[in-house]
Every structure is written in structure tokens, then in C-alpha cells.
Amino acid sequence: MNPLFYLALTLIPAKNRNGADHNGEDGRYVETLIREYLKRYLPKDLEVLTGFILRPAVKTGLKNKCRQDQQDMHSTQLDIIVYDSAKYPIFQRFGESVIVPPEGVVGIISVKKHLHDTDVTHELSVLKNCYIM
């Protein structure tokens, strides 16, 4: 890997080893880089956020129509949510973190700086669960 590329994806390099000094912050840094890139090229009506999808038992914007035999459901924390906030409400906003209904979700992205074979099945399951909401 090109060392300059690696440095661009490491917020604060560790002194005694390869990688970041603080992995959690390094991961958030990479997510922020991707979100900022997407914001630059996506239409202005689409927001690039992080947070949760909450699928209430009542549909949003459809005259309180119930989802038959359904209960409220929510996703796990999602790294990137591309959301149509011009047409759909945001339930809760705290900075760039949100709780949104599934109707306005255009896309979701899971960010892993290093994707290991053991992570693939879990990440696909998380994304699939969001899709079936």
C-alpha cells in the first residue's frame, strides 16, 4: 500500500507500531472522510449521516396507516446513512447522528478500515436486516 495513502487514513499514527494510536477515533476519521466525499457529489436533498433506522409500527406520512401485526424495529448503529430529508422526517437529530424512518433511506454503508474474513458475514447480516425493515 502506498505509504502516503496510509497516512491519509490514519488520524494520529502510533509511535511503536503500524496503525493508529487510537483505533476508535481512527475509524471515525475514515467514516468522516467517506461522508464528506459523498456529500460533495450527491444531490443537496440527500444528507449523509450516521445513526439508526427506526421502523415504527405506524408508517410515516401515510395517514397513520399501521403495518399489520408489526412492532417497532430498529437497526444497529450504522456508519453511513444516505437519507432523503427533503421528503421524509428525521425523528431525532444530534449533530450528524440521527434516528430516521426507513422510507427515506436511500442507502447505507458499513465502513471497515480493515475488513477481515470473519467480519463479512456479520456486516452482511446487519445490512440485510436494515433492508428488510
Side-chain angles (χ1 to χ4, degrees):
M1 180 182 297
N2 181 331
L4 292 176
F5 176 76
Y6 182 75
L7 286 174
L9 293 178
T10 303
L11 182 60
I12 308 266
K15 292 180 181 177
N16 301 330
R17 61 181 169 83
N18 286 334
D21 201 40
H22 191 281
N23 292 333
E25 287 302 314
D26 202 45
R28 274 189 282 282
Y29 173 65
V30 172
E31 289 172 25
T32 300
L33 287 175
I34 294 169
R35 276 198 304 273
E36 292 302 316
Y37 179 83
L38 290 172
K39 284 179 190 179
R40 180 177 291 172
Y41 295 104
L42 288 174
K44 297 298 178 203
D45 287 347
L46 299 180
E47 289 192 68
V48 183
L49 307 159
T50 186
F52 300 87
I53 299 171
L54 170 64
R55 200 229 41 189
V58 175
K59 289 185 179 180
T60 60
L62 297 174
K63 300 181 183 174
N64 294 332
K65 217 173 177 184
C66 288
R67 301 176 201 262
Q68 289 192 328
D69 302 321
Q70 298 292 313
Q71 297 180 10
D72 292 349
M73 294 175 64
H74 64 85
S75 69
T76 60
Q77 191 276 337
L78 299 167
D79 298 329
I80 296 176
I81 302 171
V82 179
Y83 191 75
D84 187 349
S85 59
K87 295 181 184 168
Y88 297 94
I90 292 177
F91 291 145
Q92 180 72 42
R93 181 187 296 266
F94 31 101
E96 287 193 350
S97 295
V98 294
I99 300 172
V100 296
E103 289 85 1
V105 175
V106 175
I108 54 176
I109 300 172
S110 178
V111 177
K112 294 287 181 209
K113 188 170 177 184
H114 301 285
L115 183 63
H116 303 285
D117 291 343
T118 55
D119 296 332
V120 174
T121 302
H122 172 72
E123 292 302 315
L124 288 174
S125 175
V126 167
L127 295 174
K128 179 183 172 193
N129 288 339
C130 293
Y131 176 75
I132 61 174
M133 278 199 221

